[in-house]
Amino acid sequence: VLYGGKKGWEPVATLRSFPNNAIYGTATWTTAMQVNNQTDCGEHDTEQEKDVVPSKTRPATVLCIEAIPSAYTKMKNAVETLGWQSSLHVHHHVIADRPSFIMYCTDPTNECTNVSQVALDSFMIQQQQQPTEPAMAELPMIDFLSVDLEGYDVPALKGANQTLSRVRYLEFEYHNRGIWPQFNLKRDVLVMLESVHGFTCYWGGKQGKLWRITGCWRDIYLRHKWSTAACVHRERLPELARRMEQRFLDTIANKIQ
């Protein structure tokens, strides 16, 4: 489940990685966006995509929730062009902690669209009730939850209490954009994730380095510097939790170059 699609690259990369299916690639995705006359997607490095070995596990299903009307339309058209509707579901909502409507206006036409705002818990219940979404006939465990809302991450997480009880791995961004400066990372987010939901959280760094936040809190972390927090559930994904802890230990021992 991905809040904010980054123009589709992250959902496609997720589909490629989880079942190791090479049919899903950002180069293919970019071509589909261009076929639909959507060429304002910026540059994306596709050369770093590694060859993958098809997995024998169940195929992945990705739910991508995009708020911006133009981005949602582009992504939806690309999914239909590629015939990926069974794997990549694109939804048009603003994710927060309560229902409402948000007005989005585009330049230079100044055309405005009302976009529904929902809590993730409500959204997931809606998917369970949708007969057109066979993959969501039952609410499964969520392997990967990514939150990238340009500074509105905290309301989204606060509206996902029930959903977080089924998440194995979570990522969110931390910085000074949007309303992040109004919140305290430790008080408003980490206590909930660590104590209530059982996650261990780390800062993600370059070369795969990790610095544990859980149990290693420092007040300097309250500075709103652009960072990615990676949180693994200790019981739902014990092997990854063990590997991430070892990576943290290797990081602080300067074993990772």
Side-chain angles (χ1 to χ4, degrees):
V1 179
L2 303 149
Y3 304 170
K6 291 187 177 178
K7 299 180 177 125
W9 292 316
E10 187 173 350
V12 172
T14 301
L15 276 173
R16 183 182 179 88
S17 299
F18 271 79
N20 287 345
N21 193 336
I23 191 174
Y24 303 111
T26 51
T28 304
W29 177 259
T30 301
T31 300
M33 298 282 272
Q34 293 171 345
V35 165
N36 288 285
N37 296 318
Q38 281 114 27
T39 58
D40 59 336
C41 297
E43 297 296 326
H44 182 69
D45 184 6
T46 60
E47 294 182 359
Q48 295 184 1
E49 286 190 333
K50 298 180 180 179
D51 292 335
V52 295
V53 178
S55 172
K56 295 181 180 179
T57 60
R58 61 178 173 78
T61 299
V62 172
L63 305 183
C64 179
I65 308 167
E66 175 58 53
I68 301 174
S70 58
Y72 163 74
T73 300
K74 294 171 185 178
M75 293 170 63
K76 187 173 184 295
N77 289 342
V79 168
E80 293 175 352
T81 296
L82 294 168
W84 291 358
Q85 295 95 324
S86 64
S87 301
L88 178 53
H89 306 265
V90 184
H91 300 270
H92 194 199
H93 295 290
V94 174
I95 297 295
D97 57 350
R98 66 196 69 183
S100 184
F101 285 92
I102 303 296
M103 183 76 71
Y104 278 88
C105 299
T106 58
D107 295 326
T109 61
N110 204 35
E111 295 181 359
C112 297
T113 303
N114 260 329
V115 181
S116 63
Q117 174 178 292
V118 298
L120 184 62
D121 285 345
S122 300
F123 170 80
M124 296 302 291
I125 291 173
Q126 291 173 6
Q127 300 315 300
Q128 185 183 25
Q129 298 171 347
Q130 288 286 342
T132 57
E133 300 279 3
M136 295 299 296
E138 296 182 0
L139 289 177
M141 296 297 293
I142 297 171
D143 295 305
F144 175 37
L145 174 61
S146 172
V147 182
D148 181 9
L149 294 180
E150 304 300 325
Y152 290 82
D153 309 64
V154 177
L157 290 170
K158 287 184 176 295
N161 187 58
Q162 296 178 24
T163 303
L164 286 168
S165 69
R166 295 182 292 104
V167 172
R168 293 188 171 102
Y169 177 80
L170 163 72
E171 285 186 0
F172 63 90
E173 292 191 339
Y174 178 66
H175 43 68
N176 62 358
R177 297 183 63 178
I179 60 176
W180 251 124
Q182 301 176 23
F183 293 97
N184 180 292
L185 174 64
K186 184 177 182 180
R187 180 192 65 228
D188 297 318
V189 178
L190 293 179
V191 169
M192 172 185 66
L193 293 177
E194 298 167 1
S195 302
V196 178
H197 293 290
F199 287 95
T200 298
C201 294
Y202 301 80
W203 293 125
K206 296 180 179 179
Q207 290 85 46
K209 295 181 179 181
L210 292 175
W211 289 268
R212 179 152 47 82
I213 311 171
T214 302
C216 296
W217 176 261
R218 300 174 62 190
D219 287 342
I220 195 174
Y221 294 159
L222 292 175
R223 295 175 56 188
H224 290 265
K225 187 175 181 180
W226 203 294
S227 310
T228 297
C231 304
V232 60
H233 196 278
R234 296 184 288 272
E235 295 181 2
R236 298 182 198 125
L237 214 55
E239 177 57 23
L240 180 60
R242 184 195 64 78
R243 290 166 57 189
M244 291 178 70
E245 181 65 13
Q246 186 59 54
R247 180 55 64 102
F248 159 66
L249 295 174
D250 290 344
T251 298
I252 61 176
N254 294 319
K255 293 183 179 179
I256 302 176
Q257 302 300 322

